[in-house]
Amino acid sequence: MTKLRPYRFKRQQLAFPYMLITAALVIVPLFILLYYACTDYATGKVSLMNFAAFFIDRENTNLATLGRSFFMAFLTTVICLGLGYPLAYVLSRSPFNRRGILIMIFIMPMWINSLLRMFAVKNMMELFGVGSGFGAVLTGMVYDFFPFMLLPLFTSLSNIDRSYDEASNDLGATPLVTFIKVTLPLSVPGIISGVLMVFMPTISTFAVVEMLGSQDQNMLGNLINENISFAPTRNVGAAYAFILLILVAATMLIANLAGGKQKGREAANLL
Amino acid sequence: MKNRKLTIIGWSLIAVMLIATYFPIAIIVIFSFSENKVVGDWKNFSFSAALYHTVFTSDKIMPALLNTFIVALSAAAAATVIGTFAAIGIYYCRRRMKSVLTTLNQITLVNADIVTGVSLMFFFLLLLGRLNGIPAMIIGHTVITLPYVILMVMPRLSQLNPNLYEAGLDLGAGPARTLFTVILPQLVPAMLGGFIMAFTLSMDDYVIAKFIKGGSETVSTLIYNSAKVGLKPEFRALSTLLFALVLAVLAVINIKSARRSKKSGGGLLPFIR
């Protein structure tokens, strides 16, 4: 005869509520998004016309918008990297890195509401007499996402063991050669994280363009937002959102393949 | 000699970048004390706190602030509780299950906010009878902040002495009691970090809120709506107040964590996403 043992829970079971919530509120909504994307708004019938609408619109503006999104995201990422790398490098070196106060000060704007930051940039642009348009949008994007580039760069640069520098120096390399052959390769994980953290949100952003730009700067995020906000084109918007989802997934996949699994994970950790 | 030159270059780079970073914020703060329509109009600058008065008596901003705090507090609390238990559960899972769950955790992290927001909107529309407003926003923000709490608690778990749990069981406490009296107290700093991060993320969000807010406005959605028609001057005062709040919270955390982490290092950096 086996005696009935008192119920003892396992620690693994503590994750059950989380699994339930993720399944119900993350996975299921994505399928519902796909369902709306694949149905016609007027008739409610299954069709792929919403997806097709993205590629065959009359003036071909959608593909141009997609191209512009990639171009803007690319430009923003390059500028952030160009400004962020030297700064992160300097900040990670000895006289500047006392107790991490300076990096704190640079990262702090990240905690301010991003719309308020955009508001500040808008005011600054008006002060300089620059109206809304390409320049203002680009400035806003760079200002908005710069901390997300700086932080991973700083983390990876300050984690590099200083003795590599000294070893390289002892073996007769000039500081420039040391930088190119030692420091730069070791900071690649930080570069990949930073690039991902700037590039991916830039593609989908819409408020920056709405606040600082005009119709001419419209990006993929604006396209989705405009379609979703208007009931009859809601399902088209769902299809565009799904296209964005696929693009983001593809970007992540490429980054994982390019940087190895570990780096992709690090990027997601920092995000 | 050369080193000195490099130091000077370094400091000038830092100075230039600092100015670029804080210039926009500084003009907002300075001109929040003047009723000028246009920022940068030094000639008509006259010190007054009228904009602050407008903020505190506004029948739009005050309810929005209240909504923001209700949503952010509830979502952050829910995310912290669920996320902490989830982190413990995931941490002790077998290897394969663990990697499945950590990948799952990254979906909302990697996914664009607009996609998450839109998919939640359709979800509420189709399944929950057009649920919107504050309850919908609390649910939405719990979902997007959960992964951050888990990411903050997990590393702390790996620093714990694994024998402590066994010791608790050996000394006669049940698993639940051991969990609450031995494991959880050691996770409090990480939970606090997760809570603060969830709170700020929720306050910051307008993308998800925009699609599910119904008739309720938060500060973020209010700013977003007003931005299209041009933000009124009182938003300068609101910005300054929120900036001061962020500054105060960061200072408190920094002092506390500096006191705590004298041995273990760290400081505030882990608190930043």
Side-chain angles (χ1 to χ4, degrees), chain B residues 134-186:
Chain B
I134 290 176
M137 284 194 275
I138 293 175
I139 294 174
H141 285 176
T142 308
V143 171
I144 56 158
T145 54
L146 252 174
Y148 293 94
V149 176
I150 294 176
L151 283 183
M152 298 214 62
V153 176
M154 283 274 244
R156 179 82 191 115
L157 274 167
S158 58
Q159 291 167 5
L160 291 188
N161 183 347
N163 297 326
L164 283 174
Y165 184 75
E166 310 297 331
L169 294 185
D170 284 349
L171 292 171
R177 192 165 165 207
T178 313
L179 190 80
F180 279 101
T181 53
V182 179
I183 307 287
L184 273 185
Q186 302 185 70

Short mmCIF file of all heavy atoms in Angstrom, two decimals, chain B residues 134-186:
data_model
loop_
_atom_site.label_atom_id
_atom_site.label_comp_id
_atom_site.label_asym_id
_atom_site.label_seq_id
_atom_site.Cartn_x
_atom_site.Cartn_y
_atom_site.Cartn_z
N ILE B 134 -7.77 52.16 -18.69
CA ILE B 134 -6.73 51.88 -17.69
C ILE B 134 -6.46 50.38 -17.50
O ILE B 134 -5.30 49.97 -17.49
CB ILE B 134 -7.09 52.58 -16.36
CG1 ILE B 134 -6.92 54.10 -16.55
CG2 ILE B 134 -6.22 52.09 -15.22
CD1 ILE B 134 -7.31 54.93 -15.37
N PRO B 135 -7.52 49.51 -17.37
CA PRO B 135 -7.21 48.08 -17.21
C PRO B 135 -6.38 47.53 -18.37
O PRO B 135 -5.42 46.79 -18.16
CB PRO B 135 -8.59 47.42 -17.17
CG PRO B 135 -9.55 48.50 -16.86
CD PRO B 135 -8.96 49.77 -17.34
N ALA B 136 -6.76 47.92 -19.60
CA ALA B 136 -6.02 47.44 -20.77
C ALA B 136 -4.57 47.92 -20.72
O ALA B 136 -3.64 47.15 -21.01
CB ALA B 136 -6.69 47.93 -22.06
N MET B 137 -4.37 49.18 -20.32
CA MET B 137 -3.01 49.70 -20.27
C MET B 137 -2.19 48.99 -19.21
O MET B 137 -1.00 48.72 -19.39
CB MET B 137 -3.03 51.21 -20.02
CG MET B 137 -3.42 52.00 -21.26
SD MET B 137 -3.06 53.74 -21.09
CE MET B 137 -4.50 54.33 -20.24
N ILE B 138 -2.84 48.67 -18.06
CA ILE B 138 -2.10 47.95 -17.01
C ILE B 138 -1.66 46.58 -17.54
O ILE B 138 -0.50 46.19 -17.39
CB ILE B 138 -2.97 47.78 -15.74
CG1 ILE B 138 -3.22 49.16 -15.10
CG2 ILE B 138 -2.31 46.84 -14.74
CD1 ILE B 138 -4.17 49.14 -13.92
N ILE B 139 -2.58 45.88 -18.22
CA ILE B 139 -2.23 44.57 -18.79
C ILE B 139 -1.10 44.73 -19.80
O ILE B 139 -0.09 44.02 -19.75
CB ILE B 139 -3.47 43.91 -19.44
CG1 ILE B 139 -4.51 43.59 -18.37
CG2 ILE B 139 -3.07 42.65 -20.20
CD1 ILE B 139 -5.82 43.06 -18.93
N GLY B 140 -1.26 45.69 -20.71
CA GLY B 140 -0.26 45.89 -21.76
C GLY B 140 1.11 46.20 -21.19
O GLY B 140 2.12 45.63 -21.61
N HIS B 141 1.16 47.09 -20.21
CA HIS B 141 2.45 47.48 -19.65
C HIS B 141 3.06 46.37 -18.80
O HIS B 141 4.29 46.24 -18.74
CB HIS B 141 2.30 48.77 -18.85
CG HIS B 141 2.16 49.97 -19.72
ND1 HIS B 141 1.93 51.23 -19.24
CD2 HIS B 141 2.21 50.09 -21.07
CE1 HIS B 141 1.85 52.09 -20.25
NE2 HIS B 141 2.01 51.41 -21.36
N THR B 142 2.21 45.55 -18.17
CA THR B 142 2.75 44.39 -17.45
C THR B 142 3.45 43.47 -18.44
O THR B 142 4.55 42.98 -18.18
CB THR B 142 1.62 43.63 -16.72
OG1 THR B 142 0.88 44.55 -15.94
CG2 THR B 142 2.18 42.54 -15.84
N VAL B 143 2.80 43.26 -19.59
CA VAL B 143 3.38 42.36 -20.59
C VAL B 143 4.72 42.88 -21.10
O VAL B 143 5.69 42.12 -21.19
CB VAL B 143 2.40 42.16 -21.77
CG1 VAL B 143 3.07 41.42 -22.90
CG2 VAL B 143 1.17 41.41 -21.31
N ILE B 144 4.81 44.18 -21.39
CA ILE B 144 6.08 44.66 -21.97
C ILE B 144 7.18 44.83 -20.92
O ILE B 144 8.36 44.82 -21.27
CB ILE B 144 5.93 45.97 -22.77
CG1 ILE B 144 5.31 47.07 -21.91
CG2 ILE B 144 5.17 45.75 -24.05
CD1 ILE B 144 5.62 48.46 -22.43
N THR B 145 6.82 44.98 -19.64
CA THR B 145 7.89 45.19 -18.65
C THR B 145 8.35 43.89 -17.97
O THR B 145 9.43 43.84 -17.40
CB THR B 145 7.44 46.18 -17.55
OG1 THR B 145 6.23 45.73 -16.98
CG2 THR B 145 7.23 47.55 -18.13
N LEU B 146 7.51 42.83 -18.06
CA LEU B 146 7.88 41.54 -17.47
C LEU B 146 9.28 41.07 -17.86
O LEU B 146 10.07 40.71 -16.99
CB LEU B 146 6.86 40.47 -17.90
CG LEU B 146 5.88 39.97 -16.85
CD1 LEU B 146 4.88 39.04 -17.52
CD2 LEU B 146 6.61 39.23 -15.75
N PRO B 147 9.62 41.07 -19.16
CA PRO B 147 10.94 40.56 -19.55
C PRO B 147 12.09 41.30 -18.86
O PRO B 147 13.11 40.70 -18.53
CB PRO B 147 10.99 40.79 -21.05
CG PRO B 147 9.58 40.86 -21.48
CD PRO B 147 8.83 41.46 -20.34
N TYR B 148 11.91 42.60 -18.61
CA TYR B 148 12.98 43.37 -17.98
C TYR B 148 13.17 42.95 -16.53
O TYR B 148 14.30 42.84 -16.05
CB TYR B 148 12.69 44.87 -18.06
CG TYR B 148 12.72 45.42 -19.47
CD1 TYR B 148 11.56 45.52 -20.22
CD2 TYR B 148 13.92 45.81 -20.04
CE1 TYR B 148 11.59 46.00 -21.51
CE2 TYR B 148 13.97 46.30 -21.33
CZ TYR B 148 12.79 46.39 -22.06
OH TYR B 148 12.83 46.87 -23.34
N VAL B 149 12.06 42.71 -15.83
CA VAL B 149 12.16 42.25 -14.44
C VAL B 149 12.89 40.91 -14.39
O VAL B 149 13.81 40.70 -13.59
CB VAL B 149 10.76 42.13 -13.80
CG1 VAL B 149 10.86 41.56 -12.40
CG2 VAL B 149 10.05 43.47 -13.77
N ILE B 150 12.49 40.00 -15.30
CA ILE B 150 13.13 38.68 -15.33
C ILE B 150 14.63 38.82 -15.59
O ILE B 150 15.46 38.20 -14.92
CB ILE B 150 12.46 37.79 -16.39
CG1 ILE B 150 11.02 37.50 -15.96
CG2 ILE B 150 13.23 36.50 -16.58
CD1 ILE B 150 10.22 36.72 -16.96
N LEU B 151 14.99 39.70 -16.54
CA LEU B 151 16.40 39.90 -16.86
C LEU B 151 17.17 40.49 -15.70
O LEU B 151 18.39 40.33 -15.61
CB LEU B 151 16.55 40.79 -18.09
CG LEU B 151 16.28 40.14 -19.42
CD1 LEU B 151 16.53 41.12 -20.55
CD2 LEU B 151 17.14 38.90 -19.61
N MET B 152 16.49 41.22 -14.81
CA MET B 152 17.20 41.81 -13.67
C MET B 152 17.33 40.83 -12.51
O MET B 152 18.29 40.88 -11.76
CB MET B 152 16.48 43.07 -13.20
CG MET B 152 16.44 44.12 -14.28
SD MET B 152 16.56 45.79 -13.69
CE MET B 152 18.11 45.83 -12.92
N VAL B 153 16.33 39.94 -12.36
CA VAL B 153 16.34 39.03 -11.20
C VAL B 153 17.23 37.81 -11.47
O VAL B 153 17.92 37.33 -10.57
CB VAL B 153 14.91 38.61 -10.82
CG1 VAL B 153 14.92 37.60 -9.69
CG2 VAL B 153 14.10 39.83 -10.41
N MET B 154 17.22 37.32 -12.72
CA MET B 154 17.99 36.11 -13.07
C MET B 154 19.46 36.16 -12.66
O MET B 154 19.95 35.22 -12.03
CB MET B 154 17.89 35.84 -14.57
CG MET B 154 16.57 35.25 -14.97
SD MET B 154 16.58 33.48 -14.81
CE MET B 154 16.37 33.06 -16.50
N PRO B 155 20.20 37.23 -13.00
CA PRO B 155 21.62 37.25 -12.63
C PRO B 155 21.84 37.17 -11.12
O PRO B 155 22.78 36.55 -10.65
CB PRO B 155 22.12 38.59 -13.16
CG PRO B 155 21.10 39.07 -14.10
CD PRO B 155 19.82 38.44 -13.72
N ARG B 156 20.93 37.78 -10.36
CA ARG B 156 21.04 37.75 -8.91
C ARG B 156 20.88 36.31 -8.40
O ARG B 156 21.58 35.89 -7.47
CB ARG B 156 19.97 38.66 -8.31
CG ARG B 156 19.95 38.71 -6.82
CD ARG B 156 20.97 39.68 -6.26
NE ARG B 156 21.09 39.50 -4.82
CZ ARG B 156 22.18 39.08 -4.21
NH1 ARG B 156 23.27 38.80 -4.89
NH2 ARG B 156 22.20 38.94 -2.90
N LEU B 157 19.98 35.55 -9.03
CA LEU B 157 19.77 34.16 -8.61
C LEU B 157 21.03 33.33 -8.79
O LEU B 157 21.35 32.48 -7.97
CB LEU B 157 18.64 33.54 -9.44
CG LEU B 157 17.23 33.75 -8.93
CD1 LEU B 157 16.25 33.37 -10.00
CD2 LEU B 157 17.00 32.93 -7.68
N SER B 158 21.77 33.63 -9.87
CA SER B 158 22.96 32.83 -10.12
C SER B 158 24.09 33.17 -9.13
O SER B 158 25.04 32.42 -9.00
CB SER B 158 23.44 33.01 -11.57
OG SER B 158 23.70 34.36 -11.81
N GLN B 159 23.94 34.33 -8.44
CA GLN B 159 24.95 34.67 -7.44
C GLN B 159 24.65 34.04 -6.08
O GLN B 159 25.50 34.03 -5.20
CB GLN B 159 25.03 36.19 -7.26
CG GLN B 159 25.60 36.91 -8.47
CD GLN B 159 25.37 38.41 -8.39
OE1 GLN B 159 24.87 38.92 -7.38
NE2 GLN B 159 25.74 39.11 -9.43
N LEU B 160 23.42 33.53 -5.90
CA LEU B 160 23.05 32.98 -4.60
C LEU B 160 23.80 31.69 -4.33
O LEU B 160 24.13 30.95 -5.25
CB LEU B 160 21.54 32.70 -4.55
CG LEU B 160 20.59 33.88 -4.55
CD1 LEU B 160 19.18 33.39 -4.31
CD2 LEU B 160 20.99 34.89 -3.50
N ASN B 161 24.04 31.43 -3.06
CA ASN B 161 24.63 30.16 -2.66
C ASN B 161 23.58 29.06 -2.80
O ASN B 161 22.55 29.09 -2.13
CB ASN B 161 25.09 30.29 -1.21
CG ASN B 161 25.80 29.05 -0.73
OD1 ASN B 161 25.73 28.02 -1.39
ND2 ASN B 161 26.47 29.15 0.40
N PRO B 162 23.81 28.09 -3.70
CA PRO B 162 22.78 27.06 -3.94
C PRO B 162 22.51 26.20 -2.71
O PRO B 162 21.45 25.58 -2.60
CB PRO B 162 23.36 26.23 -5.09
CG PRO B 162 24.82 26.51 -5.07
CD PRO B 162 25.00 27.89 -4.52
N ASN B 163 23.46 26.17 -1.76
CA ASN B 163 23.27 25.33 -0.58
C ASN B 163 22.23 25.89 0.38
O ASN B 163 21.71 25.16 1.21
CB ASN B 163 24.59 25.17 0.18
CG ASN B 163 25.62 24.47 -0.69
OD1 ASN B 163 25.27 23.60 -1.49
ND2 ASN B 163 26.86 24.87 -0.57
N LEU B 164 21.95 27.20 0.25
CA LEU B 164 21.04 27.82 1.20
C LEU B 164 19.65 27.19 1.14
O LEU B 164 19.01 26.95 2.17
CB LEU B 164 20.93 29.32 0.93
CG LEU B 164 22.11 30.14 1.43
CD1 LEU B 164 21.98 31.59 0.98
CD2 LEU B 164 22.21 30.06 2.94
N TYR B 165 19.20 26.91 -0.10
CA TYR B 165 17.87 26.31 -0.26
C TYR B 165 17.84 24.94 0.39
O TYR B 165 16.93 24.60 1.15
CB TYR B 165 17.55 26.23 -1.75
CG TYR B 165 16.17 25.71 -2.05
CD1 TYR B 165 15.06 26.51 -1.86
CD2 TYR B 165 15.98 24.42 -2.53
CE1 TYR B 165 13.79 26.05 -2.14
CE2 TYR B 165 14.72 23.94 -2.82
CZ TYR B 165 13.63 24.76 -2.62
OH TYR B 165 12.37 24.30 -2.90
N GLU B 166 18.89 24.14 0.12
CA GLU B 166 19.00 22.80 0.72
C GLU B 166 19.04 22.90 2.24
O GLU B 166 18.39 22.13 2.94
CB GLU B 166 20.27 22.09 0.21
CG GLU B 166 20.45 22.11 -1.30
CD GLU B 166 19.35 21.35 -2.01
OE1 GLU B 166 18.79 20.41 -1.41
OE2 GLU B 166 19.02 21.72 -3.16
N ALA B 167 19.80 23.89 2.72
CA ALA B 167 19.93 24.06 4.17
C ALA B 167 18.56 24.33 4.78
O ALA B 167 18.21 23.75 5.82
CB ALA B 167 20.88 25.20 4.49
N GLY B 168 17.77 25.18 4.12
CA GLY B 168 16.43 25.48 4.61
C GLY B 168 15.59 24.22 4.70
O GLY B 168 14.90 23.98 5.70
N LEU B 169 15.67 23.38 3.65
CA LEU B 169 14.89 22.14 3.64
C LEU B 169 15.38 21.19 4.73
O LEU B 169 14.58 20.57 5.44
CB LEU B 169 14.99 21.45 2.27
CG LEU B 169 14.38 22.18 1.08
CD1 LEU B 169 14.46 21.30 -0.16
CD2 LEU B 169 12.93 22.56 1.35
N ASP B 170 16.71 21.09 4.88
CA ASP B 170 17.28 20.19 5.89
C ASP B 170 16.87 20.60 7.30
O ASP B 170 16.72 19.76 8.18
CB ASP B 170 18.81 20.20 5.80
CG ASP B 170 19.29 19.40 4.61
OD1 ASP B 170 18.44 18.70 4.02
OD2 ASP B 170 20.48 19.49 4.27
N LEU B 171 16.72 21.90 7.49
CA LEU B 171 16.38 22.38 8.83
C LEU B 171 14.88 22.32 9.08
O LEU B 171 14.39 22.84 10.08
CB LEU B 171 16.90 23.80 9.04
CG LEU B 171 18.44 23.87 9.08
CD1 LEU B 171 18.91 25.30 9.06
CD2 LEU B 171 18.97 23.15 10.30
N GLY B 172 14.16 21.73 8.14
CA GLY B 172 12.77 21.42 8.42
C GLY B 172 11.74 22.38 7.85
O GLY B 172 10.55 22.17 8.05
N ALA B 173 12.17 23.39 7.15
CA ALA B 173 11.19 24.27 6.53
C ALA B 173 10.72 23.65 5.22
O ALA B 173 11.49 22.99 4.53
CB ALA B 173 11.80 25.64 6.28
N GLY B 174 9.47 23.84 4.86
CA GLY B 174 8.97 23.34 3.59
C GLY B 174 9.52 24.17 2.46
O GLY B 174 10.10 25.23 2.69
N PRO B 175 9.33 23.72 1.21
CA PRO B 175 9.85 24.48 0.07
C PRO B 175 9.29 25.90 0.02
O PRO B 175 10.04 26.85 -0.25
CB PRO B 175 9.38 23.67 -1.14
CG PRO B 175 9.01 22.35 -0.63
CD PRO B 175 8.65 22.49 0.81
N ALA B 176 7.99 26.04 0.31
CA ALA B 176 7.39 27.37 0.21
C ALA B 176 7.99 28.29 1.26
O ALA B 176 8.36 29.44 0.98
CB ALA B 176 5.88 27.28 0.38
N ARG B 177 8.13 27.77 2.48
CA ARG B 177 8.66 28.60 3.55
C ARG B 177 10.12 28.98 3.27
O ARG B 177 10.54 30.11 3.48
CB ARG B 177 8.54 27.85 4.87
CG ARG B 177 8.79 28.77 6.02
CD ARG B 177 8.33 28.17 7.32
NE ARG B 177 8.94 28.96 8.39
CZ ARG B 177 9.20 28.49 9.59
NH1 ARG B 177 8.91 27.24 9.89
NH2 ARG B 177 9.74 29.27 10.50
N THR B 178 10.89 28.00 2.79
CA THR B 178 12.28 28.29 2.45
C THR B 178 12.34 29.39 1.40
O THR B 178 13.16 30.32 1.48
CB THR B 178 12.96 27.03 1.88
OG1 THR B 178 12.67 25.93 2.72
CG2 THR B 178 14.45 27.21 1.79
N LEU B 179 11.44 29.28 0.43
CA LEU B 179 11.44 30.26 -0.66
C LEU B 179 11.20 31.66 -0.11
O LEU B 179 11.92 32.60 -0.45
CB LEU B 179 10.34 29.89 -1.64
CG LEU B 179 10.36 30.68 -2.92
CD1 LEU B 179 11.41 30.11 -3.84
CD2 LEU B 179 9.01 30.67 -3.58
N PHE B 180 10.19 31.77 0.76
CA PHE B 180 9.83 33.11 1.22
C PHE B 180 10.79 33.66 2.28
O PHE B 180 10.98 34.86 2.38
CB PHE B 180 8.39 33.11 1.77
CG PHE B 180 7.37 33.20 0.69
CD1 PHE B 180 6.68 32.09 0.25
CD2 PHE B 180 7.13 34.43 0.06
CE1 PHE B 180 5.75 32.18 -0.78
CE2 PHE B 180 6.20 34.52 -0.97
CZ PHE B 180 5.51 33.39 -1.39
N THR B 181 11.38 32.77 3.08
CA THR B 181 12.23 33.30 4.16
C THR B 181 13.72 33.28 3.81
O THR B 181 14.50 34.01 4.41
CB THR B 181 12.02 32.49 5.47
OG1 THR B 181 12.21 31.11 5.17
CG2 THR B 181 10.64 32.70 6.03
N VAL B 182 14.12 32.44 2.86
CA VAL B 182 15.55 32.35 2.54
C VAL B 182 15.88 32.99 1.19
O VAL B 182 16.78 33.82 1.08
CB VAL B 182 16.04 30.89 2.57
CG1 VAL B 182 17.51 30.80 2.22
CG2 VAL B 182 15.78 30.29 3.94
N ILE B 183 15.14 32.59 0.15
CA ILE B 183 15.49 33.03 -1.20
C ILE B 183 15.02 34.46 -1.47
O ILE B 183 15.81 35.34 -1.83
CB ILE B 183 14.90 32.08 -2.27
CG1 ILE B 183 15.28 30.63 -1.98
CG2 ILE B 183 15.34 32.50 -3.66
CD1 ILE B 183 16.70 30.27 -2.24
N LEU B 184 13.73 34.71 -1.27
CA LEU B 184 13.17 36.01 -1.65
C LEU B 184 13.86 37.22 -1.00
O LEU B 184 14.13 38.20 -1.69
CB LEU B 184 11.67 36.05 -1.38
CG LEU B 184 10.77 35.53 -2.50
CD1 LEU B 184 9.31 35.72 -2.14
CD2 LEU B 184 11.07 36.20 -3.82
N PRO B 185 14.16 37.16 0.31
CA PRO B 185 14.81 38.34 0.90
C PRO B 185 16.10 38.73 0.20
O PRO B 185 16.45 39.91 0.14
CB PRO B 185 15.08 37.90 2.35
CG PRO B 185 14.06 36.87 2.62
CD PRO B 185 13.85 36.15 1.33
N GLN B 186 16.79 37.73 -0.34
CA GLN B 186 18.06 38.05 -1.01
C GLN B 186 17.84 38.65 -2.39
O GLN B 186 18.76 39.15 -3.02
CB GLN B 186 18.91 36.79 -1.14
CG GLN B 186 19.20 36.16 0.20
CD GLN B 186 20.14 35.01 0.06
OE1 GLN B 186 21.30 35.19 -0.23
NE2 GLN B 186 19.62 33.81 0.24
#
